[in-house]
Structures are given as C-alpha cells and as structure tokens.
Amino acid sequence: HEAAVMLRLNNDFVAKGYHRVGGGVLVRYVTTLLSDYVCCDTAYRVATQEEFPSWGYWLKNGLETMAEQWELSARSWDHHYWGSVSSYFYQNLAGIRLGAPGYSEVVIKPDTPAGLDWVKASQGTPRGTVEIAWKRENAVIAMDVKVPNGTRAEIWFPGGRPAADPAGVQHLAWTGPEDST
C-alpha cells in the first residue's frame, strides 16, 4: 500500500498549494519519500517554496541554520533535526546514493523536477569523490558522472535511454520503452 499512501500524500500537498508542511516529526522525510515514489515535482516544490512553514521560509528570513521549529521564534538555531532536506538535495536531486558499504557501489539516480534546470554535486567516499552534473536543455538531459576507480556504479538515465553508452560502460539492463532516446 506504500505507493497508494504516497500518492495520497502527494495529492494532499498539491491541493494545499505545496506550503502546508504538517505532520509533525514525519515531515523531515517528506521530500525524500515523495521523490522515491515518483512525485519528484511535488517534492521539489515542497522543498523550495517560501511560505510559512517551510525551509524556504527560513532562508527568505535570513536563517542560515536549521531551527528547532518552523516559527522564527525557535529557541534553538542549530538544530540538526530538519536537516534531512540537505540529504534530499544530494540523494534525490543529484541522485547520489550508497549502493554497498564503503561506497564500493554507488547508485546514481537523479530526479529532474519541473522548474529545476541543473544540478551539480559531489560526495566524498573512502574510495574517492563521486561527482554528478546534469543539465536540462530543450527537454534533453545531459549528464556527466564521475566515479572513483574500483567503484561499481548503477546509473539511471532520467527521461529515457542515453544517446550513446560512454566508453568502458557495460549496459546491463533497460527498463524503459525501447524507442526512448
């Protein structure tokens, strides 16, 4: 029933204009969960909207750290709890995810929501730095991925099959329509 629950949550956010971030402590997982269940446009809108209550509201009002609560009168101004939105940035928007312990394997599966035209991110690992940059131009996604030597990477191409497999890449499977490019 997970997909049905996430679709209902997605529809609730859409109906409320993306700015009624409620749900108590579970809100910290909203952006990641929405993205994981193919609601990446809603997740991005929730993460970037600027009306109270939201992370964007904090930024708009000069906060540079995470407060303990949404109100600007919060007593703690260095509260890690709401910091899960930063994980959403690199795990969902950049798509860098741990594939196996020690980053011996990585999964690159970026979300490309409407309204976001590019992402560039890196993640240090014990084997070296994983990097990704993607950019949308004329409805085409160009993606550049760098993975340290000795690291296996599973790379998901947003929007369809890549135009060409890069040198040294072993194509393992295709899960999208065969005529996609």
Side-chain angles (χ1 to χ4, degrees):
H1 301 288
E2 293 171 5
V5 169
M6 292 313 300
L7 182 59
R8 187 168 182 175
L9 181 64
N10 176 75
N11 294 343
D12 189 47
F13 272 107
V14 171
K16 293 177 179 174
Y18 307 96
H19 67 273
R20 293 293 174 230
V21 181
V25 297
L26 299 177
V27 170
R28 70 181 292 192
Y29 303 108
V30 163
T31 51
T32 297
L33 287 171
L34 284 169
S35 280
D36 285 351
Y37 284 91
V38 196
C39 303
C40 73
D41 289 342
T42 299
Y44 181 68
R45 297 272 309 261
V46 168
T48 59
Q49 67 88 20
E50 296 180 338
E51 293 185 33
F52 177 84
S54 70
W55 293 281
Y57 175 77
W58 285 344
L59 292 172
K60 182 176 161 185
N61 285 281
L63 271 69
E64 295 178 357
T65 60
M66 302 288 176
E68 183 177 12
Q69 59 194 30
W70 294 118
E71 290 81 8
L72 297 175
S73 61
R75 63 181 182 219
S76 170
W77 293 83
D78 193 16
H79 205 73
H80 76 282
Y81 189 77
W82 297 110
S84 59
V85 74
S86 61
S87 297
Y88 160 74
F89 292 146
Y90 73 85
Q91 289 182 357
N92 293 91
L93 295 179
I96 301 172
R97 295 215 180 186
L98 177 71
Y103 283 92
S104 62
E105 297 179 15
V106 295
V107 176
I108 306 294
K109 188 178 181 183
D111 287 338
T112 57
L116 184 63
D117 291 328
W118 67 273
V119 166
K120 183 176 182 179
S122 63
Q123 173 67 44
T125 78
R127 298 172 180 265
T129 303
V130 175
E131 298 178 35
I132 179 171
W134 66 259
K135 186 174 186 178
R136 182 188 337 261
E137 288 183 12
N138 301 323
V140 174
I141 305 286
M143 194 165 74
D144 184 27
V145 178
K146 294 179 182 163
V147 179
N149 287 336
T151 301
R152 183 178 182 275
E154 177 181 314
I155 301 173
W156 294 65
F157 294 90
R161 186 184 294 264
D165 288 335
V169 168
Q170 179 185 6
H171 186 82
L172 298 177
W174 175 250
T175 59
E178 287 302 317
D179 61 352
S180 269
T181 57

